[in-house]
Amino acid sequence: MGRALIIGAGGVASVVVHKCCQNSEVFEEIMIASRTKSKCDALKAKLEGGKTKISTAQVDADNVEELVALIRSYKPDIVINVALPYQDLTIMDACLETKTNYMDTANYEPLDTAKFEYKWQWAYRERFEKAGITALLGSGFDPGVTGVFCAYAQKHQFDEINEIDILDCNGGDHGYPFATNFNPEINIREVTAKGSYWEDGHWVETEPMEIKRVYNFDEVGEKDMYLLHHEEIESLALNIKGIKRIRFFMTFGQSYLTHLQCLQNVGMTSIEPIEFEGKQIVPLQFLKAVLPDPATLGPRTVGKTNIGCIFKGKKDGKDKTYYLYNVCDHQECYKEVGSQAISYTTGVPAMIGAMMVMTGKWNKPGVYNIEEFDPDPFMEALNKFGLPWKENFNPDLVD
């Protein structure tokens, strides 16, 4: 079918590479590119020998000229961006210059402020449309699968959806007193930011961790969860008809919260540079360097994740509730691709999103969030490639 350029070589990229190799009919060739080429070479050594041809390259994803040169040399059908969210715009610039399709798993955020919104990427809409190429935004799990779930519910289950609660539960245990399941810098920036939800056409802002609920998750059990701001709320508020409220909740254990509070109290989660021994350092980036690498957590993480959406709305004039979710087992993910479930649940949808664009099933020039496309082929692929979904037509609601 074609070739893909994968930018990034962390835990999520590793899953993407594994899944592309499992789907060699679509991904005949892939290139793994990162600032650290040795990581790319290690992934290649682990997986080469199958039908998918793998090559590697060194590239600075902050440098548009380097990206353009690599894209022009390799000539991919799509660029799969699983680098850092700070690098979304430089990669989009390079795709524009080379007229290459683009896909990512998380929205752009500036390095110097924890601001999670789509305005920077939405500003590229007209230019991508004129170039005749597609930019697919947020093809991870949340954002990503959660948006596809919303599109699927809107298409098949409701005449109008009035309320959505997105619930992200990680019931896994890695055995460390404190560690994050994805990039520590991104994770802690997200968790320590103010929360917000969408209600009656406007944002309602909350203090970090101000709103707590308890929910009993299928195959995981009862967990504490907290309201956070999350990027997909912004696009879903525009793309789901009849919507009046959207909230996002994520589970956290008490040990995680206690350690995080201590780190905040002593300034270790700050993104403001400080001077240390004559050098400028960012405390959060230093903290990232001393915490366990999420890519190493796979062998020791046990338990399951449960991520999905609870909908309230109307069908044929009657009130209706519906819960669409996925349960993923950390150890099963490790057995299959050598990662824990957090990387797996992001990497699988990244491959599927790229496949949708490459096969032409999702082919519209411009910049689009994932829920703007037909959800059916994506939902079918989730079942095929390791993230089967479940339905509940009488779910417990979040008050």
Side-chain angles (χ1 to χ4, degrees):
M1 172 69 70
R3 58 173 60 174
L5 170 60
I6 301 165
I7 300 180
V12 173
S14 174
V15 177
V16 174
V17 172
H18 275 83
K19 286 296 177 177
C20 286
C21 290
Q22 289 179 15
N23 192 5
S24 58
E25 288 184 6
V26 173
F27 298 94
E28 294 173 326
E29 299 180 35
I30 58 173
M31 173 179 279
I32 316 162
S34 170
R35 194 189 305 264
T36 309
K37 188 171 180 292
S38 59
K39 291 183 178 180
C40 306
D41 293 335
L43 278 172
K44 177 184 175 181
K46 188 185 297 185
L47 284 162
E48 67 181 342
K51 291 183 179 179
T52 300
K53 181 182 177 182
I54 305 173
S55 52
T56 64
Q58 192 278 331
V59 73
D60 179 357
D62 293 317
N63 187 312
V64 177
E65 289 183 4
E66 279 191 29
L67 289 163
V68 167
L70 180 61
I71 293 169
R72 283 185 173 150
S73 169
Y74 187 62
K75 296 180 175 60
D77 298 294
I78 192 169
V79 172
I80 301 175
N81 171 14
V82 281
L84 293 171
Y86 320 131
Q87 297 163 326
D88 287 0
L89 300 189
T90 53
I91 299 173
M92 288 181 79
D93 286 336
C95 286
L96 260 179
E97 191 166 331
T98 58
K99 290 185 168 55
T100 307
N101 294 316
Y102 167 90
M103 191 226 75
D104 65 34
T105 63
N107 69 346
Y108 171 76
E109 58 182 271
L111 190 58
D112 59 354
T113 179
K115 193 74 171 173
F116 311 98
E117 55 187 337
Y118 279 112
K119 68 177 183 182
W120 292 283
Q121 292 178 279
W122 285 348
Y124 282 72
R125 280 171 170 160
E126 188 176 342
R127 283 174 285 169
F128 267 73
E129 190 174 353
K130 285 182 177 178
I133 54 176
T134 300
L136 174 61
L137 305 184
S139 189
F141 206 107
D142 47 350
V145 174
T146 51
V148 175
F149 281 176
C150 291
Y152 181 85
Q154 180 170 252
K155 181 177 179 179
H156 294 287
Q157 299 295 334
F158 292 89
D159 296 323
E160 65 175 62
I161 296 172
N162 304 129
E163 297 182 13
I164 303 170
D165 278 333
I166 302 168
L167 310 187
D168 183 325
C169 168
N170 179 16
D173 182 7
H174 46 58
Y176 286 114
F178 184 81
T180 63
N181 290 289
F182 60 95
N183 185 300
E185 189 177 353
I186 305 302
N187 176 266
I188 292 171
R189 280 167 65 114
E190 182 179 289
V191 172
T192 56
K194 287 183 180 291
S196 65
Y197 59 95
W198 182 261
E199 187 166 44
D200 295 330
H202 66 277
W203 290 102
V204 180
E205 190 172 88
T206 68
E207 291 302 312
M209 304 295 188
E210 177 185 351
I211 296 177
K212 172 188 172 182
R213 297 290 186 269
V214 178
Y215 197 81
N216 190 4
F217 290 90
D218 182 26
E219 297 190 46
V220 175
E222 201 169 83
K223 293 288 181 182
D224 294 341
M225 62 183 189
Y226 298 82
L227 186 143
L228 303 181
H229 173 81
H230 226 245
E231 61 214 68
E232 67 262 49
I233 297 175
E234 183 182 15
S235 66
L236 291 172
L238 298 175
N239 295 322
I240 302 301
K241 59 187 178 185
I243 196 69
K244 295 176 181 176
R245 187 181 73 184
I246 313 175
R247 301 183 297 184
F248 180 96
F249 292 89
M250 184 175 283
T251 63
F252 297 98
Q254 193 53 54
S255 175
Y256 177 95
L257 295 176
T258 301
H259 279 81
L260 184 61
Q261 186 63 58
C262 292
L263 291 167
Q264 281 184 276
N265 289 345
V266 298
M268 283 303 299
T269 62
S270 172
I271 60 175
E272 295 295 325
I274 62 168
E275 188 165 311
F276 176 73
E277 295 186 347
K279 297 179 181 178
Q280 290 281 309
I281 68 165
V282 174
L284 181 54
Q285 292 177 357
F286 177 80
L287 177 61
K288 173 186 174 183
V290 299
L291 287 175
D293 180 352
T296 67
L297 297 179
R300 56 186 296 147
T301 305
V302 296
K304 297 179 180 180
T305 64
N306 180 321
I307 313 173
C309 305
I310 299 176
F311 304 94
K312 289 177 66 178
K314 295 189 183 301
K315 180 67 174 178
D316 299 327
K318 297 179 180 179
D319 291 339
K320 178 175 181 175
T321 59
Y322 176 62
Y323 188 13
L324 194 51
Y325 64 97
N326 162 265
V327 176
C328 195
D329 187 293
H330 284 285
Q331 280 298 298
E332 290 303 314
C333 295
Y334 184 71
K335 288 175 189 174
E336 183 192 343
V337 300
S339 87
Q340 31 85 352
I342 304 302
S343 295
Y344 190 89
T345 54
T346 304
V348 173
M351 180 280 290
I352 294 173
M355 177 177 69
M356 294 295 106
V357 176
M358 284 180 65
T359 57
K361 290 179 180 175
W362 289 0
N363 182 19
K364 289 191 292 186
V367 176
Y368 297 96
N369 292 88
I370 199 164
E371 69 272 8
E372 296 181 80
F373 291 96
D374 178 14
D376 291 357
F378 197 105
M379 293 287 282
E380 183 181 338
L382 286 172
N383 286 331
K384 180 178 179 180
F385 289 103
L387 291 177
W389 39 277
K390 299 186 175 188
E391 298 172 290
N392 183 341
F393 290 90
N394 187 32
D396 292 333
L397 303 179
V398 181
D399 59 22

